[in-house]
Every structure is written in structure tokens, then in C-alpha cells.
Amino acid sequence: LNKITKSKSKAFVMTALAFIAISLIYRVLHPLYLWPDYNNNIRMVVLSRLDAIMFGVLIAAMKHYWVAGFELIKRLTPVTAILVVLLFYWWFAGSLGLMESKSIQVSVFTVQAALCSLLLPWFDSLRNHSIPNGFISITSRLSYSLYLMHILVIIMVNKALIKLGIFEQVYNNPFLLYPLYFSLFYFFSWITYNQIELPFLKLREEKFNWPSVVKASWVSVTTVILLIFVF
């Protein structure tokens, strides 16, 4: 696309839109589901949810190529925030109509991803440049590891609570459960970011050979083996 359009910005946007279209088409091609099947075939399938990443990509591109649009979205944050709260309330209320409407099943995650991405300019403005290691900066840096690790942490914690015989007591108490989840999310994500993500990123700056690959990947290979053993 870059060669065809002769424009990095256009190629960037067209690529993101293509992936958004792929996710939508994937959902359109599926029948109307009841919850267990919808959860397994739509909500938990990566191809169905790629558009979420692409909306973030588009906002990043907007900040780089169209600053005025980025600032406009930031000024509209109160409206976006209200819509996000209403959407979350809809989920909390039992996602009314989701199991009866194909159009809702196709569009709800796209709408959710788009609304959440529209909050990014506001979060971006929270960065305190005098405190580079602030919470927002750390979360941003660990975001991909948080995405990868959170479900594994949830499974691990739940299994541990069951083995300890305290699952019901902790799982039904959000003031115990969520601090436990979140602290372990960040702990393990910090490890994977520093021991897996960064070594791979540094490969760009090193001579690409077997020693450099082994140096970058030994932790990730060991982690995969451990995960297979544990889960």
C-alpha cells in the first residue's frame, strides 16, 4: 500500500481499516449465537477482535499526522466517557438484546473498541513528563504484556484459590479479588516486558545471528515450557 499510494499516512490508515473490515466480515459470516457459542466463537477469537488494536493504531496515526483531529477528540472526551459508561452499564445489565440481534452481535465489539480508543487522547494528556515512570507511562509500556498475561494470571489465581480451599470467600469479595488480580497482572507483565519484549526489541539494534536470537529468546522459550507444564 505504501508503494501504491506513495504516502505512509494513507498506507497506515488503509491497513488499519482493512483489518477492521476483516473483523467485521468475520462476524457477519457467523450465525446468530446464544451466549456460550457467542463467547467461544466471537468474543474469544483473535480474528474477531483485531479491530480493537486497529482503532488504537488509527488514534496513534491521527496524533502523528492530524493533530487538529486528535485535539478535537480530546475535547469531546466528556461525551465519549458518558457513552462508554452507558455501554458498560449495558453489559452489566445483562447485554440486553445481544442474544436476539445479529446486528448487535456483529457491531458491539467494534463500537466498544472505537469508544475506548476515543478516550486515548485524554489519557495521553495525563502523562507527566517530569515523572517518566508514572503509572500511566508504566501501564502504557506494559500494555501488550498486560494483554497477554491477564488471562493466565486469572486462571493461575483461580486454580490456587481452589487448591487452598478459599475460592468462594475470595472470588465473591471484589475488594480482595481485584487487588490480587491487578497486582499480579503488573508483576508478571513487568517480568515479561523486561525479560521477553525488550530483548526481542533490542534485536533490531544488534547483528542478527544465532547467539543474538538465543540471547533474546531463552526466557520466552523457558516460559512457554513452564506454561505448558502448569496449564
Side-chain angles (χ1 to χ4, degrees):
L1 287 173
N2 192 27
K3 290 180 180 179
I4 293 171
T5 62
K6 308 297 182 184
S7 168
K8 288 184 179 180
S9 59
K10 289 180 181 178
F12 210 72
V13 171
M14 290 172 69
T15 301
L17 292 176
F19 277 104
I20 291 172
I22 287 171
S23 291
L24 280 170
I25 293 169
Y26 176 86
R27 286 184 233 136
V28 166
L29 293 176
H30 283 258
L32 180 66
Y33 285 122
L34 293 178
W35 173 250
D37 292 325
Y38 181 74
N39 186 49
N40 294 330
N41 294 291
I42 300 297
R43 192 181 78 87
M44 297 182 68
V45 176
V46 172
L47 187 59
S48 173
R49 307 292 299 279
L50 278 178
D51 55 349
I53 297 175
M54 292 302 116
F55 281 113
V57 168
L58 286 173
I59 295 297
M62 181 174 287
K63 180 182 178 182
H64 187 72
Y65 295 113
W66 187 32
V67 178
F70 188 82
E71 292 298 322
L72 175 61
I73 291 174
K74 186 164 65 176
R75 288 198 295 271
L76 293 174
T77 296
V79 176
T80 306
I82 291 171
L83 294 175
V84 169
V85 169
L86 290 174
L87 178 62
F88 287 171
Y89 180 77
W90 176 78
W91 279 113
F92 184 77
S95 54
L96 305 175
L98 180 62
M99 297 302 107
E100 294 79 35
S101 172
K102 175 71 180 294
S103 61
I104 294 178
Q105 289 194 358
V106 168
S107 62
V108 64
F109 285 121
T110 297
V111 172
Q112 178 174 292
L115 287 176
C116 287
S117 71
L118 293 176
L119 292 174
L120 292 176
W122 182 79
F123 280 104
D124 181 72
S125 68
L126 291 180
R127 291 183 306 165
N128 187 339
H129 295 288
S130 64
I131 311 177
N133 291 319
F135 179 73
I136 298 297
S137 296
I138 292 173
T139 302
S140 178
R141 195 176 301 122
L142 300 182
S143 60
Y144 193 68
S145 287
L146 286 166
Y147 161 67
L148 292 175
M149 290 301 299
H150 79 280
I151 188 63
L152 298 177
V153 169
I154 290 172
I155 294 171
M156 179 186 70
V157 169
N158 291 353
K159 284 189 173 185
L161 293 176
I162 291 171
K163 286 194 174 184
L164 293 171
I166 55 174
F167 179 80
E168 293 296 333
Q169 297 91 317
V170 176
Y171 193 81
N172 293 321
N173 187 338
F175 297 103
L176 292 176
L177 182 68
Y178 289 108
L180 179 62
Y181 278 159
F182 276 87
S183 60
L184 291 176
F185 288 164
Y186 277 84
F187 174 72
F188 285 110
S189 296
W190 182 85
I191 293 174
T192 56
Y193 173 77
N194 285 283
Q195 299 300 321
I196 297 177
E197 279 193 65
L198 274 185
F200 273 103
L201 290 173
K202 288 178 180 177
L203 279 176
R204 296 178 298 187
E205 302 159 7
E206 298 180 9
K207 185 177 180 180
F208 192 80
N209 51 36
W210 280 111
S212 65
V213 171
V214 171
K215 180 182 176 182
S217 63
W218 75 269
V219 174
S220 60
V221 172
T222 305
T223 302
V224 168
I225 293 171
L226 286 173
L227 288 174
I228 292 172
F229 176 77
V230 172
F231 293 104

